[in-house]
Amino acid sequence: MGSAHGSPAGRSTPAGEAGELAELLSRSARILNRGSVAGLSPLGLTYGQARLLRLLAGAARAPRMAELAARLDVVPRAATTMVDGAQQAGLVRRLPDPGDRRSVLVELTSQGRRLLGRIAEARRATAETVFGPLSPAQRADLLDILRIICGPGSSSAQRGD
Amino acid sequence: MGSAHGSPAGRSTPAGEAGELAELLSRSARILNRGSVAGLSPLGLTYGQARLLRLLAGAARAPRMAELAARLDVVPRAATTMVDGAQQAGLVRRLPDPGDRRSVLVELTSQGRRLLGRIAEARRATAETVFGPLSPAQRADLLDILRIICGPGSSSAQRGD
DNA sequence: TATTGTTATACTCTATAACTATA
DNA sequence: TATAGTTATAGAGTATAACAATA
């Protein structure tokens, strides 16, 4: 296994701590995802679709598919699936891009817009369960830390709630 | 709950903060997972299989399938798939439980044991990328916070590294 | 030639239910 | 009857490649 085990200052991320951080991070995300799915399935939405709608709600203009994929941090193929599902449910609409006929713009329908409040409520309830045990200071710390991990441009991409 | 701290609405988790925490947590996990897959695929392992092997490496006795599933925080069906894959690769072995003929025990093969070092190295490299930008204090904070989110019994389930 | 979004394909993880064999 | 693990089935996410239309 790792040779340098008890090395206090040799590496910036000690092997044991790094492994536990990774394990706990993926485990936390699994807990969050499980709660999100439970809260969203009564609305007929997947987690990805809810992220999509939330992004569209905060967007100034109807974004293109590629822009959507980038801001959702998924490959373009995954964005197609999300939009397909939301469109079938009547929540979003595909529009031709007047400036580039290869591109497709996506916007909320009024039906999709009406669902936003319930989506936000479901997310709030899930977040309350997951993050509720933390102190306000810990939540602030976690926010800072996750922003660093995710890098610039990832936070406040979806600001409204 | 809602001791109104500074929040206008008097909720313990302000909606905007909660939403951003959720978004950033799932995004961080996606980054971590992507790195893990990239680091593990040269070894012919999935992320789940690597978690399985790591758990077995730290286990005192060969655990049963149900115990495996519980400690990996997956449904029993998922544990079957993970063990299937690792067994086909010759890394783990299924044994009959002498005490209960319904049960199946899982243990590392010597081949699986030989792979542990490279798994740990791959995880360390991934964790270095993901958690490296954090200060030691931030890593310690994150560890505390994630332990709270995951609840008791989730940390140090895999202690060795 | 390069880019946009799609179809096609494949694999992992997740989840539920039904089945077998034990207990 | 209940439990342990499996098979069966399905859906969601992820990723790559190939393709048509357009730039």
Side-chain angles (χ1 to χ4, degrees):
Chain A
M1 263 171 258
S3 46
H5 208 341
S7 74
R11 267 165 178 165
S12 56
T13 54
E17 182 195 54
E20 191 167 4
L21 275 175
E23 175 67 23
L24 289 173
L25 177 56
S26 76
R27 194 176 289 248
S28 298
R30 213 169 317 130
I31 292 172
L32 175 65
N33 188 62
R34 216 174 276 148
S36 299
V37 168
L40 290 169
S41 66
L43 306 181
L45 289 176
T46 68
Y47 191 29
Q49 286 164 4
R51 291 183 69 219
L52 166 67
L53 263 59
R54 186 173 162 225
L55 174 66
L56 292 177
R61 302 167 294 94
R64 298 185 306 167
M65 293 295 297
E67 191 181 343
L68 233 47
R71 293 183 59 179
L72 291 171
D73 188 31
V74 299
V75 297
R77 178 64 186 87
T80 296
T81 301
M82 289 179 195
V83 172
D84 283 349
Q87 188 173 33
Q88 273 191 317
L91 305 175
V92 305
R93 181 169 29 230
R94 271 183 243 240
L95 302 172
D97 183 341
D100 185 337
R101 280 191 297 176
R102 293 172 302 180
S103 294
V104 173
L105 306 182
V106 182
E107 68 173 13
L108 281 174
T109 63
S110 56
Q111 191 183 343
R113 201 168 293 279
R114 275 195 296 274
L115 206 57
L116 291 176
R118 293 168 67 191
I119 294 173
E121 174 53 29
R123 188 179 52 241
R124 200 204 59 74
T126 301
E128 174 67 35
T129 302
V130 176
F131 303 112
L134 300 177
S135 73
Q138 285 174 320
R139 281 197 293 271
D141 286 347
L142 182 58
L143 206 51
D144 289 341
I145 290 169
L146 294 179
R147 278 182 180 141
I148 295 173
I149 292 176
C150 292
S154 46
S155 85
S156 81
Q158 296 86 21
R159 1 175 289 293
D161 206 87
Chain B
M1 314 294 273
S3 60
H5 283 287
S7 59
R11 265 173 178 159
S12 56
T13 54
E17 183 195 54
E20 191 167 4
L21 274 175
E23 174 68 23
L24 289 174
L25 177 56
S26 76
R27 193 176 289 247
S28 298
R30 213 168 316 131
I31 291 170
L32 175 66
N33 188 62
R34 217 174 277 148
S36 299
V37 168
L40 291 169
S41 65
L43 307 181
L45 289 175
T46 68
Y47 190 30
Q49 286 165 3
R51 290 183 69 219
L52 166 67
L53 263 58
R54 185 172 163 225
L55 174 66
L56 292 177
R61 302 167 293 96
R64 299 184 306 166
M65 292 296 296
E67 192 181 343
L68 233 48
R71 294 183 60 181
L72 291 171
D73 188 32
V74 299
V75 80
R77 178 63 186 86
T80 295
T81 301
M82 289 178 195
V83 172
D84 283 349
Q87 189 173 33
Q88 273 190 316
L91 305 174
V92 306
R93 179 169 31 229
R94 273 183 243 240
L95 303 172
D97 183 341
D100 185 337
R101 279 192 297 176
R102 294 172 303 182
S103 293
V104 174
L105 306 181
V106 182
E107 68 173 15
L108 281 174
T109 63
S110 57
Q111 191 183 343
R113 200 168 293 279
R114 275 195 297 273
L115 207 56
L116 291 175
R118 291 168 68 191
I119 294 173
E121 174 53 29
R123 188 178 54 240
R124 200 205 58 76
T126 301
E128 174 67 35
T129 302
V130 176
F131 303 113
L134 301 177
S135 72
Q138 285 175 320
R139 282 198 292 272
D141 286 347
L142 181 58
L143 206 53
D144 289 340
I145 290 170
L146 294 179
R147 278 182 181 141
I148 295 173
I149 292 177
C150 292
S154 47
S155 85
S156 80
Q158 296 87 22
R159 357 180 287 295
D161 202 85

